[in-house]
Amino acid sequence: MQAFVLTGYGGAEAAELREMPRPRPARGEVLVRVHAAGLNPVDFKTREGKLKVIQRYPLPAIMGNELAGVVEEPGAGVTSFAKGDRIFARMPKAAMGAFADYAVVPADLVALMPASLDFESAAGVPLAGLTALQALRDELGVKKGSRVFIPGGAGGVGTFAIQLAKHLGAEVTTTASPRGRALVERLGADVVIDYTTQKFEDRVRDMDGAFDLLGGETLKKTFQVVKRGGKVVSIAGMPEPQTALKDLGRGMGLAALFWLASFSLRAEAGSTASRTAICSCIRAAASLPNSHS
């Protein structure tokens, strides 16, 4: 089969299209004939070697972290999927493989595609959708009546986040450009702030939680709009110790490294009315492996 393969770390020359053996599904896996695959920031960051401290793949390695396709062969013990099923899937954190004619995926990372989706659309759902779901449901604990701030709601993860937050019963405030306003309003945003003419930190107050998608100065200003004891989850901030221990399942060595790297950010979050910053590095957008998705 043909596959897009990582052969080293660096620029475009570090990956190439080549012939690779067609994989076979092991027990609990599904062999998928790939119809479409999603391209994400994690892919070029992996190729450039920026994530080697988190996940180092044996090379050569087939790239790609999300796909949509048709089940070609269920492995032994798989009863929830049959040959011909239309599915979409997120690849496991320790093994990519979506950029190929065929891929093997653990059955517990596979789901049947909604009938309303084509393969191209479905292939772009798993990472961004799971990122938003984990942040809102698992980390922020969004529920009916929650007030949530989602800066940058017109982006890939943001469009999922707005819809999921509304589904969970939250009141959603977001930022968008004039071009993006119609989109975020259509998705359900209750309050939309035009970031080209207004400063959100002057208009937003007492949020129960915030889901930061942008990092940098936006993340620092987001600390100001969350009420005392609230939480800020970021997929663009510096990873903090719990990321190593909880999200990545790694030891104290990496946790200590993240503790040092995130010290100033955590200090700033803690000094802002005792708010809590949770810089969870969720795989889809933060480009780090994660055990929840």
Side-chain angles (χ1 to χ4, degrees), residues 140 146-150 206-211 222 225-227 230-233:
L140 288 176
S146 296
R147 300 179 69 235
V148 181
F149 178 51
I150 305 173
D206 297 324
M207 294 286 114
D208 295 303
F211 181 25
T222 297
V225 308
V226 178
K227 69 182 183 182
K231 290 183 178 180
V232 177
V233 173

Side-chain angles (χ1 to χ4, degrees), residues 2 31-38 66-72 83-89 91 97-103 105 113 117-124:
Q2 283 200 313
L31 176 66
V32 179
R33 179 161 52 88
V34 180
H35 283 240
E66 61 180 352
L67 58 78
V70 174
V71 173
E72 182 74 11
K83 181 178 175 64
D85 284 346
R86 299 167 74 249
I87 61 89
F88 55 171
M91 302 302 292
F99 296 165
D101 291 330
Y102 294 89
V105 191
M113 279 174 49
L117 287 183
D118 57 32
F119 289 112
E120 291 77 10
S121 299

Side-chain angles (χ1 to χ4, degrees), residues 13 23 53 91 93 100 119 166 200 208 214 221 244 258 290:
E13 74 286 347
V53 66
M91 302 302 292
K93 64 181 181 180
F119 289 112
K166 294 301 296 181
F200 72 81
D208 295 303
L214 304 173
K221 292 175 181 177
F258 285 176
N290 143 51

Side-chain angles (χ1 to χ4, degrees), residues 127-138:
L127 268 67
L130 288 169
T131 294
L133 182 63
Q134 180 187 345
L136 295 167
R137 183 192 64 188
D138 302 343

Side-chain angles (χ1 to χ4, degrees), residues 1 6 48 55 62 65 70-71 80 83 88 115 121 134 146 156 169 206 211 229 263 265 281 287:
M1 68 173 187
L6 181 68
E48 292 175 350
Q55 182 69 58
I62 299 173
N65 290 280
V70 174
V71 173
S80 51
K83 181 178 175 64
F88 55 171
S121 299
Q134 180 187 345
S146 296
D206 297 324
F211 181 25
F263 179 81
L265 184 63
C281 291
S287 304

